[in-house]
Amino acid sequence: MSRYVVAGFSQIETMVKVEKLPLEYTSLVPSPNSIYSSVGGDAYNAALALKWLGNDVTLFSMVGRDQNMDLFNPPERKVTISTQYVLPLLESTPQSVMLFDSKRNEQRFEDTKNIRDVDYDMSMVAPLVAESDIVMLSNANFCRPFINAAHEHKKQVLTKFHAFRREKEKYNEDFLSESDIIFFSSSFLDEDPFEFVKDIEKKYGTDIIVLSQGKDGLIMYQKDKDMIAHYDSVATNQVVSSMGAGNALAACFIHRYTETGDPVIAIKDALLFASYKTGFIGTSNGFMTDEQLTQWHRLIWGI
């Protein structure tokens, strides 16, 4: 069992399965068994995935002042996550509405409320960072001080970018330059993916860079071997929704990377973990246990 600090967004999510995107206007669409609401968000989902894999996880996040915290641990779920450091500091909890169809097209509406303007109380962070193996961050404003806390205690930092765009790069230079491991999504890139990864490494000297490409797999760069390689996606489940798969990918990667020290083993298992998750609706559903992950690894790769 490893120990992780995870900091970033938690939100209320509503997912709606539609026939196809983009939508054609109609005033009412009867849609039985197609709307799902739950707690989600980059940090919450990653923390929950790490708990399913058997780790000790401390989640730092912020929600609305009147938020019912029981929603974070529904009674039917076997795994629970502590909300001790999920602080009610915001005017209201961030929310998102996500539309998706059977062809993996997605459309998201996000309302982050006033989270960009609120600071987290860092006085309680340092002791828990000191006891962790890796600090995993979203690129949210309130997560910036966590970088210094991690470096003070000589802990590696993984930053997962929710939606990276070149025009916003200058606002994220601290995350880019100070992270040991960075996860990106190709969803918002309009440049060659290999050249993008090479450019990020050249500018910031990152140890490990992962660029997720959805159904097309991913690209991973390893600084110690000066190696960049593409890895195909794997199929463990019939795809229902790919939403939340990126968080699952990053969480499983650090789980296995902490255990083995081998990024290749870690990324192979992360692909399995993310693939299995796509068979479920809800960004916080569909996580394997470590035992299931090991079984799938042996089934796919035979070792």
Side-chain angles (χ1 to χ4, degrees):
M1 180 180 71
S2 300
R3 292 184 174 182
Y4 300 101
V5 160
V6 181
F9 274 90
S10 298
Q11 61 186 10
I12 305 298
E13 297 177 341
T14 299
M15 301 184 69
V16 184
K17 185 175 182 180
V18 298
E19 184 176 349
K20 65 177 181 178
L21 288 170
L23 292 175
E24 295 181 6
Y25 173 75
T26 181
S27 60
L28 175 64
V29 181
S31 192
N33 301 316
S34 64
I35 301 175
Y36 179 88
S37 294
S38 67
V39 176
D42 288 0
Y44 174 79
N45 293 338
L48 187 58
L50 287 165
K51 284 285 289 185
W52 271 101
L53 287 164
N55 298 288
D56 185 349
V57 184
T58 303
L59 172 63
F60 293 96
S61 192
M62 297 189 287
V63 294
R65 298 185 186 98
D66 60 349
Q67 179 61 53
N68 177 6
M69 301 305 291
D70 291 342
L71 292 177
F72 280 72
N73 290 298
E76 70 275 10
R77 197 175 66 203
K78 296 179 181 179
V79 170
T80 60
I81 190 161
S82 172
T83 58
Q84 181 179 357
Y85 302 105
V86 180
L87 304 184
L89 300 174
L90 307 180
E91 294 171 356
S92 55
T93 301
Q95 296 191 46
S96 69
V97 176
M98 309 175 181
L99 310 181
F100 68 99
D101 65 19
S102 58
K103 295 183 178 180
R104 293 195 180 188
N105 297 313
E106 301 174 0
Q107 186 174 15
R108 303 183 183 212
F109 302 83
E110 293 187 334
D111 182 354
T112 59
K113 306 302 181 182
N114 65 322
I115 198 168
R116 289 185 175 88
D117 306 318
V118 178
D119 296 327
Y120 196 91
D121 179 4
M122 297 298 293
S123 64
M124 61 188 78
V125 173
L128 293 163
V129 167
E131 295 175 357
S132 68
D133 292 293
I134 291 180
V135 175
M136 183 175 183
L137 304 177
S138 305
N139 64 314
N141 279 345
F142 81 87
C143 292
R144 298 180 194 277
F146 283 81
I147 299 173
N148 292 333
H151 286 173
E152 286 173 6
H153 294 282
K154 296 180 173 56
K155 304 299 180 179
Q156 286 186 302
V157 174
L158 182 152
T159 297
K160 182 188 176 296
F161 280 87
H162 176 58
F164 183 83
R165 294 179 175 87
R166 281 293 196 180
E167 60 268 26
K168 301 292 186 180
E169 183 174 342
K170 62 183 179 181
Y171 301 113
N172 288 286
E173 287 186 346
D174 47 356
F175 289 108
L176 293 165
S177 62
E178 302 298 332
S179 296
D180 303 282
I181 305 168
I182 303 178
F183 272 67
F184 297 101
S185 169
S186 64
S187 300
F188 299 94
L189 290 184
D190 56 2
E191 57 193 286
D192 180 85
F194 279 94
E195 293 303 318
F196 170 78
V197 172
K198 291 176 183 177
D199 181 69
I200 293 294
E201 188 283 324
K202 183 178 179 181
K203 284 183 178 178
Y204 303 106
T206 315
D207 291 339
I208 298 172
I209 301 170
V210 177
L211 177 64
S212 173
Q213 298 174 294
K215 67 179 184 300
D216 296 323
L218 57 84
I219 294 168
M220 183 170 72
Y221 170 82
Q222 296 174 247
K223 183 178 181 179
D224 63 341
K225 296 183 178 180
D226 192 24
M227 182 181 76
I228 184 170
H230 179 267
Y231 295 84
D232 290 334
S233 60
V234 296
T236 61
N237 236 334
Q238 181 178 354
V239 177
V240 176
S241 170
S242 60
M243 291 181 179
N247 300 321
L249 184 83
C252 184
F253 176 85
I254 61 167
H255 164 74
R256 199 58 97 211
Y257 180 63
T258 305
E259 182 181 79
T260 67
D262 189 328
V264 174
I265 292 175
I267 206 64
K268 285 183 175 181
D269 278 358
L271 284 164
L272 285 170
F273 192 78
S275 168
Y276 186 81
K277 191 260 168 292
T278 63
F280 298 81
I281 295 178
T283 63
S284 57
N285 284 335
F287 300 129
M288 289 185 190
T289 63
D290 187 65
E291 182 180 6
Q292 290 173 312
L293 183 62
T294 300
Q295 291 171 348
W296 272 105
H297 183 103
R298 291 170 179 166
L299 178 65
I300 298 295
W301 287 291
I303 54 175

